[in-house]
Amino acid sequence: MNSLGWSILFKMGCICSRECIEINNVKYYVLDNIDGGGFSTIYLVEQYGSKKKFAVKKMVCHALEDQKIALQEIEYHSMLTHPNILPCLDHTLTDKGVDPILHNVTVVYMLLPYYSLGTIEKDLKMREKMSFRMKSVDVLKLFIQICEGIKVFHNYRPTPLAHRDIKPSNILLAADGTPVIMDLGSVSPAIVFIKNSAEAQKLQDYASSRCTITYRAPELFNVEVDATIDQRTDIWSLGCLLFALCFYKSPFDYIHEKGDSVALAVVSGRINFPNESPYPESIHNLILDMLKIDPEERPFIDEVKSKANAILTEIDSDAVC
């Protein structure tokens, strides 16, 4: 066989060896495994023919309840349309037969836009490595856009929603720097009335599995009977996020890395800023407003956004940092 024949055969072999995902009669070849966790795997894929790159989220469902959760996530994507919220471009559900435990297995695929810059977490790790903090103006502009996206969840009608897992690794960066909130698998109705110990335990278990510990609000660590949980669990997470935008990590990531109890640190309410913080006191105070132990003392998203805008205006006029 001549060199041209070997070349064609090699290329055909490469194509055939790649995993192919089909979503509503369109083929996508898997290029890479971007991320994976206990509930899903995310792949970088290339559309057959056009060679356009996308992300595909694969969720293996071993029970009807798993399937219901996956389909609910897709529904939330269709309900929450905003430039700062990741859209779901297409989806499909595939029957994969029966697993060894005799449960029906289905696989849900979600086709999503691909952002080559990755997440804010990736950006912060790079900045930490280079000791290159964002300017106050840039921090606030990014944070305000994230608030715009979260506002869509919190002000949704008839039932307000909460994201429940806001963190740097769940916010993508578009090519122009626009933050895009992703991973709606943790989204749920924002307002929850806890009437008994069974409901308290159910929410606590949900938070333990779905809400990242270093961004989790204190009321989700020990859910009390007769309590009302609302959108302000997300406000706590936004406080941790704003701290991370300034100092690379959540204030409780530093606790976790030392091996100390995050839960104890969270309920103690002690937030330590670096001694040589380059950021104005107004940003520190906004973080502290969001990280109030008592959720009733935390602002709602409109007030957070309003305060952030006021600080931005003040900084712009003073040309600080």
Side-chain angles (χ1 to χ4, degrees), residues 155-186:
N155 292 352
Y156 190 80
R157 295 293 180 268
T159 304
L161 300 169
H163 185 281
R164 302 284 196 226
D165 199 23
I166 301 165
K167 58 182 178 179
S169 62
N170 276 343
I171 303 174
L172 294 157
L173 285 173
D176 63 357
T178 298
V180 181
I181 300 162
M182 69 169 188
D183 196 356
L184 306 193
S186 57

Side-chain angles (χ1 to χ4, degrees), residues 34-47:
I34 299 175
D35 195 13
F39 301 98
S40 62
T41 306
I42 301 176
Y43 300 105
L44 169 62
V45 301
E46 182 181 87
Q47 186 180 35

Side-chain angles (χ1 to χ4, degrees), residues 92-104:
T92 192
L93 186 150
T94 306
D95 186 2
K96 289 294 182 181
V98 179
D99 75 3
I101 315 177
L102 300 180
H103 288 173
N104 290 327

Side-chain angles (χ1 to χ4, degrees), residues 140 144 282 303-317:
L140 288 166
I144 288 166
S282 53
E303 186 179 348
V304 170
K305 182 171 167 279
S306 177
K307 286 184 176 181
N309 272 314
I311 298 168
L312 178 60
T313 300
E314 176 189 328
I315 290 173
D316 267 337
S317 62

Side-chain angles (χ1 to χ4, degrees), residues 36-41 57-61 66 69 73 209-210:
F39 301 98
S40 62
T41 306
K57 184 172 184 177
K58 176 183 178 181
M59 294 173 281
V60 180
C61 308
D66 297 337
I69 292 170
E73 180 175 348
S209 64
R210 293 279 179 169

Side-chain angles (χ1 to χ4, degrees), residues 128-198:
E128 183 177 26
K129 187 175 181 180
M130 298 173 64
S131 297
F132 179 57
R133 288 195 172 102
M134 276 189 274
K135 294 180 180 179
S136 295
V137 168
D138 295 330
V139 166
L140 288 166
K141 286 181 177 178
L142 189 63
F143 181 71
I144 288 166
Q145 288 187 77
I146 295 167
C147 288
E148 288 281 8
I150 295 301
K151 183 177 176 179
V152 176
F153 291 83
H154 290 190
N155 292 352
Y156 190 80
R157 295 293 180 268
T159 304
L161 300 169
H163 185 281
R164 302 284 196 226
D165 199 23
I166 301 165
K167 58 182 178 179
S169 62
N170 276 343
I171 303 174
L172 294 157
L173 285 173
D176 63 357
T178 298
V180 181
I181 300 162
M182 69 169 188
D183 196 356
L184 306 193
S186 57
V187 175
S188 59
I191 303 171
V192 184
F193 303 102
I194 306 300
K195 298 186 287 292
N196 53 55
S197 58

Side-chain angles (χ1 to χ4, degrees), residues 19-50:
E19 181 182 354
C20 177
I21 295 172
E22 190 168 316
I23 300 176
N24 294 322
N25 299 317
V26 180
K27 292 181 179 180
Y28 302 88
Y29 290 104
V30 175
L31 301 179
D32 198 7
N33 186 329
I34 299 175
D35 195 13
F39 301 98
S40 62
T41 306
I42 301 176
Y43 300 105
L44 169 62
V45 301
E46 182 181 87
Q47 186 180 35
Y48 178 73
S50 74

Side-chain angles (χ1 to χ4, degrees), residues 123-320:
D123 181 71
L124 291 175
K125 284 181 177 178
M126 179 273 293
R127 289 179 178 277
E128 183 177 26
K129 187 175 181 180
M130 298 173 64
S131 297
F132 179 57
R133 288 195 172 102
M134 276 189 274
K135 294 180 180 179
S136 295
V137 168
D138 295 330
V139 166
L140 288 166
K141 286 181 177 178
L142 189 63
F143 181 71
I144 288 166
Q145 288 187 77
I146 295 167
C147 288
E148 288 281 8
I150 295 301
K151 183 177 176 179
V152 176
F153 291 83
H154 290 190
N155 292 352
Y156 190 80
R157 295 293 180 268
T159 304
L161 300 169
H163 185 281
R164 302 284 196 226
D165 199 23
I166 301 165
K167 58 182 178 179
S169 62
N170 276 343
I171 303 174
L172 294 157
L173 285 173
D176 63 357
T178 298
V180 181
I181 300 162
M182 69 169 188
D183 196 356
L184 306 193
S186 57
V187 175
S188 59
I191 303 171
V192 184
F193 303 102
I194 306 300
K195 298 186 287 292
N196 53 55
S197 58
E199 291 179 350
Q201 189 61 53
K202 181 179 179 181
L203 180 57
Q204 196 166 307
D205 291 343
Y206 173 87
S208 179
S209 64
R210 293 279 179 169
C211 311
T212 302
I213 190 170
T214 53
Y215 288 82
R216 190 187 311 162
E219 61 269 27
L220 295 177
F221 279 91
N222 184 23
V223 180
E224 297 181 355
V225 175
D226 294 328
T228 300
I229 307 297
D230 64 21
Q231 298 97 313
R232 285 171 288 187
T233 56
D234 280 353
I235 299 302
W236 175 278
S237 301
L238 281 171
C240 295
L241 176 68
L242 181 54
F243 187 101
L245 293 178
C246 295
F247 308 112
Y248 312 125
K249 299 176 184 177
S250 158
F252 305 106
D253 277 322
Y254 294 99
I255 303 293
H256 186 65
E257 288 170 359
K258 290 193 296 183
D260 294 336
S261 170
V262 172
L264 287 176
V266 166
V267 299
S268 75
R270 289 194 301 272
I271 306 299
N272 298 315
F273 294 99
N275 292 330
E276 298 181 358
S277 169
Y279 299 102
E281 188 177 358
S282 53
I283 289 182
H284 290 192
N285 289 338
L286 178 56
I287 292 170
L288 293 174
D289 282 346
M290 292 186 281
L291 296 181
K292 297 286 189 185
I293 297 300
D294 183 352
E296 293 295 324
E297 296 180 10
R298 286 178 224 144
F300 284 97
I301 191 65
D302 288 319
E303 186 179 348
V304 170
K305 182 171 167 279
S306 177
K307 286 184 176 181
N309 272 314
I311 298 168
L312 178 60
T313 300
E314 176 189 328
I315 290 173
D316 267 337
S317 62
D318 292 343
V320 174

